[in-house]
Amino acid sequence: SSGINAEWPLRPGKKNKVISHGVKCAKNDLEAFQLEKQKKMNELDIVVTLNLDQIQYMQNGVLPSDLVSCLVFHSAGVNQLASRIKELQQEKAHQIRKFKELKKSHIHLIKGKKGMQEKLLGLDEKCQNMMLLKFGREVDLKKLENISTNRIAEELKETIAKKDVKYSRKLNEWDVQINQAKQRLLTATRDHTSHLDILNELTKDKQDLESVLDSKQKNLGGEYSGQRKADLKERQRLLQLVQLQAQEIDALKDEIGILSRKDGHILPPTQTAVPPLPPIGGRC
């Protein structure tokens, strides 16, 4: 038995894991039981009847008197073992060929390793000469690299710190400007609201005045309509009178011109009836 201890309810994924673990444990227990069973069965003594042609255990071509060390199994197993011998011989030949190829590759790699070692020695010597020319002595390149890396890191940290201080000041300045702008916006909003209130009041007053004026104009229109018609008629009569007088003046000028050319006496002009002018007191 697997001896599974599980708490229910479980999640689907966890439940599947528990079941899989239980199945695996059960299979292992069953396999162990089968092995133990087979072991116990192999220890039992069993009487097997065999023909002489089935016995292939020979020593020097003679069947031994004691067959205790003999092994009894099916003839198909003998055939399988014989075929397996051939397979193993083929595998052995394949492994021998593979070993020879690997040996050649190993020799080639050893030669390449020697060449790389010689090249590394040359590069080390060249590097030492360059360090002597540049530094005057041999220097540990790893330490030099760490020092340069640390120096760059410190410079970057210092630059970052300066940038942080600079941008913190700018942020504070912008915060102050934003607060001031918000205050100005609030003041402008209040002023705008008050102006809108005043504009609404003025608009209302204007509408009231317009309504009053409209009513008064309607009342005054009836009173002045008759007087205006009389003024227009009087004006037309005066225009006709002025035109008649202008015609008489032009006729007199023509008569005077004719008489002056004939050296005659100039008679007084004939008097034409001119309508009397109206008394001044009306509007024209």
Side-chain angles (χ1 to χ4, degrees), residues 25-43:
C25 292
K27 287 182 179 179
N28 292 333
D29 293 341
L30 180 61
E31 186 177 355
F33 174 74
Q34 292 290 345
L35 291 174
E36 185 67 21
K37 178 182 175 182
Q38 187 67 36
K39 183 178 179 182
K40 294 295 184 181
M41 289 180 67
N42 291 335
E43 292 177 357

Side-chain angles (χ1 to χ4, degrees), residues 8 107 183 191 218 237:
W8 304 94
I107 294 171
Q183 189 64 32
D191 294 340
K218 289 179 181 179
R237 190 182 68 80

